[in-house]
Amino acid sequence: MTAQSAFDLIFRNALLRGAADPMDIGVTRGRITAIEPTLACEAAEVDVGGRLALPGFVDSHIHLDKACLLGRCGHDHGSVSEAIRALSEMKKGFSVEDVYARGARVLERAIVHGTTRMRTHVEIDPRIGLRGFEAVKALKRDYAWAIDLSLCVFPQEGLTNDPGSEELLIQALRDGGEVIGGCPYTDTDPNAHLARIFDLAEAFDLDVDLHLDFDLDPSWWHLDEVCRQTERRNYGRRVAIGHATKLSALPPERLRAATAQLAKAGVAVTVLPATDLYLMGREATHNAPRGLTLAHKLAADGVLCSIATNNVLNPFTPFGDASLLRMANFYANVAHASVNDFDTCLDLVTELPARLMNLGDYGIKVGNPADLIVLDTQDSRFAVAELPDVVMGFKSGRQTFARQRPTVFRPGS
């Protein structure tokens, strides 16, 4: 038993991943200062009740600026290019207030579903200008009490073929952009697109997060050039690629080679199950391909991976509730994950995306922020298997949400 008088808050009976017995977590000025079986101190207390405590889910790839558009278009889009064209027209009419309101709706859903860290991609081009960027900057500021939001600015519709985009992109980087992204498959010169994105990343000392290889034709791809640029610039562990659905179409020998290439270069992969499954293989009349890259298998072979939300209620994905726990369950089902893989599936929305985003202060560890969520389960494998309620959350030791357990009314009660 440790006695200390400096705690502001103590979480009692919190079950941590990998621990056999519940622990107490002491918090001082918003940071974790002790993790022990029994802490003796006069302080405010929260009894976790032996349930699973996590540092929060980490959404490494989402688009807040183009979420919640379900009522504005017919959603009869059957391909990536059609979805891009639909958004291209709609975003001309986006205002700062509109983007903010739709983004706030998704952020609040993410918060109550337990997300504490998030990287949002923000489109920058002459059609939207910096309106989406200004709105998301305001969301970052206004929701800092509950979630850490990182802004990845990128040109969705190309760069070398879209005059004015680079100037706007540089302006955003000078005004708060924290990561730079790209989308080479929409550019008429994909390699020049990638080279310029890496040039800007080096100039501003930023990580790179790309949309890449988003189809099922493995006869060509941009992965080789991304790995080449990464190695040439010594940018390993600072580059991520999202979608990479082409990997799902590779035969075993080629997949092994690509996996080794990604691991050697230090390029991470973010799989986006809802969007990838919705848009890939739609033209098939039978035996439709899933189009889902197997993140848990790549991770087992040394590639840093994550699972993320991507889009919510728009032409790319007309579904979504910003729940990463549901996304991990969805992924596990479609990816034929075994029970032994369930802990890895939970890693794919917690520890692994935190590493992908280079979050050095993530985790329930002494010295880190007291960011904590509580799941109504005593086994981390069951988190993915049974989708337990996320019953409460804290940011820097301050409670951000609570969810009441449902009541069953039996006859005569």
Side-chain angles (χ1 to χ4, degrees):
M1 179 180 291
T2 295
Q4 184 173 325
S5 59
F7 296 129
D8 303 319
L9 173 67
I10 298 176
F11 294 101
R12 299 285 187 193
N13 303 311
L15 185 65
L16 306 182
R17 290 185 71 185
D21 299 303
M23 305 288 281
D24 288 351
I25 303 169
V27 178
T28 308
R29 292 187 293 276
R31 291 192 171 268
I32 298 170
T33 47
I35 303 174
E36 298 184 21
T38 306
L39 293 173
C41 178
E42 291 294 325
E45 296 185 1
V46 174
D47 188 357
V48 177
R51 292 173 294 194
L52 180 67
L54 298 173
F57 299 118
V58 181
D59 203 330
S60 61
H61 188 128
I62 195 170
H63 294 263
L64 293 177
D65 57 338
K66 55 189 183 188
C68 301
L69 297 168
L70 198 59
R72 301 191 191 182
C73 59
H75 286 270
D76 53 355
H77 318 292
S79 68
V80 177
S81 59
E82 288 172 342
I84 290 173
R85 282 196 296 272
L87 258 298
S88 182
E89 285 302 312
M90 281 192 285
K91 68 186 175 184
K92 294 175 184 177
F94 290 174
S95 67
V96 173
E97 294 76 17
D98 171 44
V99 174
Y100 183 99
R102 290 184 287 101
R105 176 180 166 189
V106 175
L107 268 184
E108 291 182 13
R109 293 295 298 275
I111 290 164
V112 300
H113 285 308
T115 298
T116 56
R117 311 285 184 108
M118 177 182 284
R119 174 183 287 176
T120 183
H121 290 248
V122 186
E123 294 190 17
I124 306 289
D125 62 38
R127 287 154 293 286
I128 182 64
L130 296 175
R131 298 189 301 279
F133 178 66
E134 293 299 328
V136 177
K137 276 202 308 178
L139 289 169
K140 174 184 174 72
R141 177 195 66 221
D142 293 349
Y143 283 89
W145 55 271
I147 190 168
D148 292 323
L149 187 60
S150 174
L151 279 58
C152 175
V153 296
F154 84 112
Q156 170 76 77
E157 300 178 48
L159 185 62
T160 68
N161 58 317
D162 199 10
S165 287
E166 183 170 332
E167 292 77 9
L168 288 166
L169 194 61
I170 291 171
Q171 191 174 339
L173 292 174
R174 288 172 175 163
D175 194 28
E178 297 159 285
V179 181
I180 187 167
C183 195
Y185 56 79
T186 63
D187 203 305
T188 52
D189 191 341
N191 285 354
H193 179 114
L194 287 169
R196 190 59 187 139
I197 294 300
F198 274 90
D199 286 344
L200 291 170
E202 285 189 310
F204 287 89
D205 191 22
L206 301 176
D207 291 357
V208 175
D209 197 335
L210 303 162
H211 294 66
L212 203 78
D213 293 341
F214 193 16
D215 62 51
L216 297 178
D217 180 1
S219 67
W220 63 273
W221 62 10
H222 300 128
L223 186 147
D224 289 341
E225 180 63 14
V226 169
C227 289
R228 190 185 75 80
Q229 291 281 354
T230 301
E231 292 183 314
R232 184 172 75 82
R233 299 170 191 258
N234 195 28
Y235 240 59
R237 298 299 178 185
R238 299 192 67 180
V239 178
I241 58 175
H243 299 295
T245 51
K246 286 179 186 285
L247 292 172
S248 74
L250 295 179
E253 297 79 10
R254 284 193 62 194
L255 181 59
R256 280 194 291 271
T259 301
Q261 183 180 15
L262 288 163
K264 178 176 177 291
V267 173
V269 176
T270 297
V271 173
L272 305 161
T275 303
D276 296 347
L277 284 158
Y278 179 69
L279 289 175
M280 295 296 100
R282 295 180 66 86
E283 71 285 352
T285 60
H286 60 285
N287 284 340
R290 289 178 171 85
L292 185 76
T293 291
L294 299 183
H296 68 291
K297 292 188 178 295
L298 289 179
D301 289 329
V303 179
L304 182 58
C305 292
S306 69
I307 292 169
T309 299
N310 195 41
N311 282 293
V312 177
L313 305 176
N314 73 13
F316 293 88
T317 320
F319 313 100
D321 60 358
S323 168
L324 280 177
L325 189 58
R326 184 185 66 81
M327 194 64 69
N329 171 278
F330 179 46
Y331 168 85
N333 272 272
V334 178
H336 291 156
S338 69
V339 174
N340 291 333
D341 296 321
F342 286 177
D343 262 324
T344 300
C345 291
L346 188 58
D347 290 338
L348 287 165
V349 291
T350 54
E351 303 290 340
L352 297 179
R355 284 173 50 198
L356 183 152
M357 291 172 60
N358 290 311
L359 302 178
D361 62 351
Y362 176 82
I364 301 177
K365 302 173 184 174
V366 171
N368 282 355
D371 298 349
L372 196 79
I373 63 170
V374 177
L375 277 63
D376 193 15
T377 185
Q378 285 77 42
D379 190 321
S380 60
R381 293 172 303 168
F382 291 171
V384 170
E386 66 179 354
L387 295 177
D389 286 338
V390 185
V391 297
M392 65 181 82
F394 296 79
K395 180 78 170 68
S396 297
R398 175 192 175 276
Q399 189 160 11
T400 55
F401 72 91
R403 179 175 283 105
Q404 299 300 316
R405 178 174 289 182
T407 301
V408 176
F409 294 101
R410 300 184 184 279
S413 61

